[in-house]
Amino acid sequence: MKKVILIFGVLSLLVFIRPALGLSFSSATNTTATTSVSTQEHDSERSFVSEAIGGIKQFYQYTGFANAAGGNIIMIIIGIVFIYLGIKFDYEPLLLIPIGAGVIIGNIPFVAGNQTGIYETGSVLNYLYFGVVKGIYPPLIFLGIGAMTDFSSLIANPKLMLLGGAAQIGVFATFLGALYLGFNLPEAGAIGIIGGADGPTAIFLSSKLANGINILADGTTVKNLIGPIAIAAYSYMALVPVIQPPIMKLLTSKKERLIRMKPPRAVSQKEKMIFPVVALLLTTFISPSALPLLGMLFFGNLLKESGRTERLADTARTKLIDIVTILLGVTVGASTQADIFITSDSLLIFGLGAVSFVIATMGGLLFAKFMNLFLKGDEKINPLIGAAGVSAVPDSARVVHAEGLKADPQNYLLMHAMAPNVAGVIGSAIAAGIILSFFG
């Protein structure tokens, strides 16, 4: 009996204290509470999934996959082709590989406003591109070219300088073609220099005339054509082994290709030292606007030939020119951002560049044939070397040499071809200075 009373007392106590402990729930209340907790947990899970999906979507919006356009893909493929040509066929690899890499870098899709693109103020690429826009890199390239160039062949046979001048007909033919296609005078002048087949000169002139900044007399702003002009110039420089041989064979006979030129005379060291000073004065007095290019070209050559500044000459023709070539190639390539580069103007510029290069090659070849009308015996020149008048140094001279060997395995034209080749460098710089004087 005592046990029953004890059990009953305990149960009664539990009944009275359960409300105080929060344990007084009916079965219906328990069911509702359980359902509420389950709903909250389910809503929490749904919220977490939604946030995760939202985060993934936001991440995707910042990737290149979301921002890629057809133009970006096209330009990336072009960049890969440039790299392939440089590696597989050895077409100007020091130029095409940096430019190809730059084309890829410049066309990786990005979110505007994050200081990523080459045209966005404050971005790293924009700072590097400053050297192109302001024409800083080309004179430094010319310094290195001067320090590695031997002008002996030109000094020994000065009349070959005329071939370098004759090849510049491509510059003025392209200028007229650009005017016909609707470009204004400064833009046409910048496009015309592609005919000289000289990348640094093309960049220098386009940075002055077709930079997207200058305002014309009628209030219009010139177009920014630096990228298309530079890519066209360097592309045709790299394609010299493809473009020039068919033109050489078309315009010269077998007999003309067999002409052997007498060896150039020996040039003294004193002549080599005097030449850069005299050439600097003559060329810059003729075309003062070309002073940044010609001044650095002949200064570099003076470092080489003086015999007292070998360390400086070595730096100019190795480390310095290598660094500048890297920066120039990558930034010029990156400037081909699809939304700016892929335009009808770019296609016209590439078309004009091809025509101008053909005309320049033809001009040198035909003028060499014309000179032979007044030369006799061993004074005659092999017309093939006229093709080296374009300033694609030294590839054009190498192509001439290779074509000469095909006609006669014992006919060595390289030294002879270097004379019009380096004259073409000087001629294109003078032409650029003349154009800049008129339209700058």
PDB file of all heavy atoms in Angstrom, residues 50-60:
ATOM      1  N   SER A  50      20.336  27.878 -52.493  1.00  0.00           N
ATOM      2  CA  SER A  50      20.140  29.057 -53.339  1.00  0.00           C
ATOM      3  C   SER A  50      21.353  29.981 -53.294  1.00  0.00           C
ATOM      4  O   SER A  50      21.789  30.504 -54.325  1.00  0.00           O
ATOM      5  CB  SER A  50      18.889  29.819 -52.884  1.00  0.00           C
ATOM      6  OG  SER A  50      17.735  29.028 -53.035  1.00  0.00           O
ATOM      7  N   GLU A  51      21.874  30.188 -52.077  1.00  0.00           N
ATOM      8  CA  GLU A  51      23.047  31.037 -51.956  1.00  0.00           C
ATOM      9  C   GLU A  51      24.254  30.430 -52.665  1.00  0.00           C
ATOM     10  O   GLU A  51      25.034  31.138 -53.311  1.00  0.00           O
ATOM     11  CB  GLU A  51      23.371  31.268 -50.474  1.00  0.00           C
ATOM     12  CG  GLU A  51      22.364  32.167 -49.769  1.00  0.00           C
ATOM     13  CD  GLU A  51      22.709  32.353 -48.302  1.00  0.00           C
ATOM     14  OE1 GLU A  51      23.756  31.807 -47.880  1.00  0.00           O
ATOM     15  OE2 GLU A  51      21.962  33.037 -47.597  1.00  0.00           O
ATOM     16  N   ALA A  52      24.397  29.124 -52.563  1.00  0.00           N
ATOM     17  CA  ALA A  52      25.512  28.450 -53.232  1.00  0.00           C
ATOM     18  C   ALA A  52      25.400  28.597 -54.747  1.00  0.00           C
ATOM     19  O   ALA A  52      26.378  28.911 -55.436  1.00  0.00           O
ATOM     20  CB  ALA A  52      25.546  26.970 -52.843  1.00  0.00           C
ATOM     21  N   ILE A  53      24.201  28.379 -55.275  1.00  0.00           N
ATOM     22  CA  ILE A  53      23.986  28.516 -56.720  1.00  0.00           C
ATOM     23  C   ILE A  53      24.209  29.959 -57.153  1.00  0.00           C
ATOM     24  O   ILE A  53      24.830  30.230 -58.192  1.00  0.00           O
ATOM     25  CB  ILE A  53      22.562  28.048 -57.100  1.00  0.00           C
ATOM     26  CG1 ILE A  53      22.427  26.539 -56.874  1.00  0.00           C
ATOM     27  CG2 ILE A  53      22.246  28.403 -58.559  1.00  0.00           C
ATOM     28  CD1 ILE A  53      21.032  26.010 -57.079  1.00  0.00           C
ATOM     29  N   GLY A  54      23.724  30.897 -56.318  1.00  0.00           N
ATOM     30  CA  GLY A  54      23.936  32.314 -56.625  1.00  0.00           C
ATOM     31  C   GLY A  54      25.408  32.675 -56.648  1.00  0.00           C
ATOM     32  O   GLY A  54      25.864  33.437 -57.508  1.00  0.00           O
ATOM     33  N   GLY A  55      26.179  32.111 -55.698  1.00  0.00           N
ATOM     34  CA  GLY A  55      27.615  32.359 -55.662  1.00  0.00           C
ATOM     35  C   GLY A  55      28.310  31.808 -56.891  1.00  0.00           C
ATOM     36  O   GLY A  55      29.201  32.451 -57.458  1.00  0.00           O
ATOM     37  N   ILE A  56      27.894  30.611 -57.291  1.00  0.00           N
ATOM     38  CA  ILE A  56      28.485  30.000 -58.489  1.00  0.00           C
ATOM     39  C   ILE A  56      28.174  30.828 -59.725  1.00  0.00           C
ATOM     40  O   ILE A  56      29.034  31.064 -60.576  1.00  0.00           O
ATOM     41  CB  ILE A  56      27.975  28.554 -58.669  1.00  0.00           C
ATOM     42  CG1 ILE A  56      28.491  27.675 -57.533  1.00  0.00           C
ATOM     43  CG2 ILE A  56      28.388  27.996 -60.019  1.00  0.00           C
ATOM     44  CD1 ILE A  56      27.897  26.285 -57.500  1.00  0.00           C
ATOM     45  N   LYS A  57      26.912  31.307 -59.810  1.00  0.00           N
ATOM     46  CA  LYS A  57      26.522  32.151 -60.949  1.00  0.00           C
ATOM     47  C   LYS A  57      27.323  33.446 -60.969  1.00  0.00           C
ATOM     48  O   LYS A  57      27.775  33.900 -62.030  1.00  0.00           O
ATOM     49  CB  LYS A  57      25.031  32.467 -60.885  1.00  0.00           C
ATOM     50  CG  LYS A  57      24.132  31.285 -61.219  1.00  0.00           C
ATOM     51  CD  LYS A  57      22.670  31.690 -61.167  1.00  0.00           C
ATOM     52  CE  LYS A  57      21.773  30.532 -61.555  1.00  0.00           C
ATOM     53  NZ  LYS A  57      20.323  30.902 -61.493  1.00  0.00           N
ATOM     54  N   GLN A  58      27.503  34.047 -59.789  1.00  0.00           N
ATOM     55  CA  GLN A  58      28.276  35.286 -59.718  1.00  0.00           C
ATOM     56  C   GLN A  58      29.726  35.043 -60.113  1.00  0.00           C
ATOM     57  O   GLN A  58      30.337  35.848 -60.833  1.00  0.00           O
ATOM     58  CB  GLN A  58      28.206  35.861 -58.302  1.00  0.00           C
ATOM     59  CG  GLN A  58      28.871  37.233 -58.171  1.00  0.00           C
ATOM     60  CD  GLN A  58      28.697  37.836 -56.787  1.00  0.00           C
ATOM     61  OE1 GLN A  58      28.209  37.170 -55.881  1.00  0.00           O
ATOM     62  NE2 GLN A  58      29.076  39.084 -56.632  1.00  0.00           N
ATOM     63  N   PHE A  59      30.292  33.912 -59.647  1.00  0.00           N
ATOM     64  CA  PHE A  59      31.665  33.564 -60.022  1.00  0.00           C
ATOM     65  C   PHE A  59      31.770  33.386 -61.542  1.00  0.00           C
ATOM     66  O   PHE A  59      32.728  33.857 -62.182  1.00  0.00           O
ATOM     67  CB  PHE A  59      32.075  32.275 -59.313  1.00  0.00           C
ATOM     68  CG  PHE A  59      33.339  31.669 -59.850  1.00  0.00           C
ATOM     69  CD1 PHE A  59      34.575  32.221 -59.562  1.00  0.00           C
ATOM     70  CD2 PHE A  59      33.291  30.540 -60.661  1.00  0.00           C
ATOM     71  CE1 PHE A  59      35.741  31.671 -60.077  1.00  0.00           C
ATOM     72  CE2 PHE A  59      34.444  29.986 -61.174  1.00  0.00           C
ATOM     73  CZ  PHE A  59      35.668  30.547 -60.881  1.00  0.00           C
ATOM     74  N   TYR A  60      30.769  32.728 -62.117  1.00  0.00           N
ATOM     75  CA  TYR A  60      30.779  32.488 -63.568  1.00  0.00           C
ATOM     76  C   TYR A  60      30.769  33.803 -64.347  1.00  0.00           C
ATOM     77  O   TYR A  60      31.426  33.926 -65.383  1.00  0.00           O
ATOM     78  CB  TYR A  60      29.568  31.637 -63.956  1.00  0.00           C
ATOM     79  CG  TYR A  60      29.449  31.401 -65.439  1.00  0.00           C
ATOM     80  CD1 TYR A  60      30.283  30.505 -66.089  1.00  0.00           C
ATOM     81  CD2 TYR A  60      28.499  32.096 -66.187  1.00  0.00           C
ATOM     82  CE1 TYR A  60      30.182  30.301 -67.459  1.00  0.00           C
ATOM     83  CE2 TYR A  60      28.388  31.893 -67.557  1.00  0.00           C
ATOM     84  CZ  TYR A  60      29.237  30.991 -68.183  1.00  0.00           C
ATOM     85  OH  TYR A  60      29.128  30.807 -69.534  1.00  0.00           O
TER      86      TYR A  60
END
